[in-house]
Amino acid sequence: MSDDEQTGLDDDDEEIETSSQWLTTLSDLSMLLMTFFIMLFSMSSLDVKKFTDSFSSVRNALGNKSKAVASAPIATPDMSTLVEQARIRQRIIGEQRRVYDQFRSYVSTKGLDGVVAATLEAGKITIAFPAGVLFPKDGVDLTEQGKERLRTLYGFLIKTAGERVNIRGFTDNQPPGAGSRFRDNWEVSSLRAVAVLRYMVSLGMPPNRLTATGLADLEPLYPNDTPEHRARNQRVEFVLERWIGE
């Protein structure tokens, strides 16, 4: 056989080999996608045995063809931990939804509609009072009306033993006026949050359920461009988070 003929055969072999390489890549990609969707299906049902059996079936079917899958096995104990965390998370969100619905009903029966706002997001319940409902203008001592509002809220919170409560004080972006005894809005917002915390404890709330945070003019609800917007940004929030294991 001549050298030209031999060279021609080698070129044909290379072309055949090159043209078939994409099939191998496509096959590996298809197997990986199938594995991924099986994982999603198994995890959505929160069934460890189903997930393990499905994953084992895929690995057996692939054999050693897919090094990417074979080289990254998922240990059953690790998956069990992930599944348990997902279960806990689902349970917490469900319980928080129930507490949120109960609070909305409670607000209606206690005449707090239009006074207090409540939201539920990512398993956290946020209850917000305008600062003017609890404190005098530019002040950090609770008014009698503010204490009455807090007693009403206490009546609900004391029944939700599984909730930690972070009391957060906010101001607008206007600094304390000239001659004020407060250095800045950090001090104002912090003292207001602590005043609320101390009053809730005096009513009987376990101290280990409460924390207080002053956030000054961070996280405004509205632009601080009008007196109405600045008044809305001055607020006290109660952020309820579920205790793990409660």
Side-chain angles (χ1 to χ4, degrees):
M1 181 179 295
S2 66
D3 292 340
D4 291 343
E5 292 175 341
Q6 181 63 41
T7 301
L9 290 175
D10 292 341
D11 290 342
D12 291 341
D13 291 340
E14 290 179 0
E15 290 178 0
I16 293 173
E17 182 178 354
T18 301
S19 64
S20 64
Q21 287 179 353
W22 71 272
L23 291 173
T24 303
T25 303
L26 178 61
S27 175
D28 290 343
L29 180 60
S30 299
M31 290 300 181
L32 288 172
L33 286 173
M34 182 175 68
T35 303
F36 174 71
F37 285 114
I38 290 175
M39 288 173 62
L40 288 180
F41 173 75
S42 300
M43 292 177 69
S44 66
S45 62
L46 299 178
D47 191 326
V48 178
K49 185 177 185 303
K50 180 188 292 185
F51 178 85
T52 304
D53 292 343
S54 300
F55 191 81
S56 298
S57 299
V58 173
R59 290 189 61 191
N60 292 334
L62 293 176
N64 294 324
K65 293 181 181 180
S66 178
K67 294 181 180 179
V69 176
S71 63
I74 298 180
T76 300
D78 293 339
M79 183 51 59
S80 298
T81 300
L82 292 175
V83 170
E84 183 59 26
Q85 290 175 349
R87 282 177 174 158
I88 292 174
R89 181 65 178 169
Q90 286 185 341
R91 179 166 62 87
I92 288 175
I93 291 175
E95 291 175 349
Q96 292 297 79
R97 168 60 65 180
R98 176 179 55 81
V99 173
Y100 175 72
D101 291 340
Q102 289 176 348
F103 180 74
R104 293 182 63 183
S105 298
Y106 183 81
V107 165
S108 297
T109 60
K110 296 298 181 178
L112 291 179
D113 286 322
V115 176
V116 60
T119 59
L120 172 63
E121 184 176 357
K124 293 183 180 180
I125 301 170
T126 301
I127 301 169
F129 284 91
V133 172
L134 304 178
F135 298 95
K137 181 176 174 56
D138 300 325
V140 297
D141 297 319
L142 289 165
T143 63
E144 289 305 316
Q145 181 192 45
K147 292 179 180 180
E148 180 182 352
R149 301 300 191 192
L150 291 179
R151 286 194 295 270
T152 302
L153 179 62
Y154 168 81
F156 178 82
L157 293 181
I158 196 63
K159 299 176 182 179
T160 59
E163 304 284 345
R164 291 184 185 273
V165 183
N166 182 13
I167 303 168
R168 311 200 308 169
F170 294 91
T171 65
D172 58 28
N173 67 341
Q174 300 295 308
S180 173
R181 63 189 178 97
F182 308 114
R183 285 192 294 178
D184 50 34
N185 284 327
W186 291 103
E187 187 171 9
V188 173
S189 60
S190 298
L191 289 174
R192 285 178 173 176
V194 170
V196 172
L197 182 149
R198 286 174 173 164
Y199 188 69
M200 299 299 280
V201 171
S202 73
L203 294 176
M205 185 70 69
N208 66 332
R209 289 186 56 193
L210 302 174
T211 56
T213 307
L215 293 169
D217 60 342
L218 300 180
E219 303 180 25
L221 298 176
Y222 301 89
N224 286 291
D225 53 2
T226 66
E228 292 76 14
H229 285 174
R230 286 193 290 271
R232 288 173 180 263
N233 288 332
Q234 293 197 46
R235 64 196 189 277
V236 175
E237 293 182 349
F238 296 77
V239 181
L240 280 58
E241 294 188 74
R242 195 76 183 174
W243 287 9
I244 300 297
E246 288 292 335

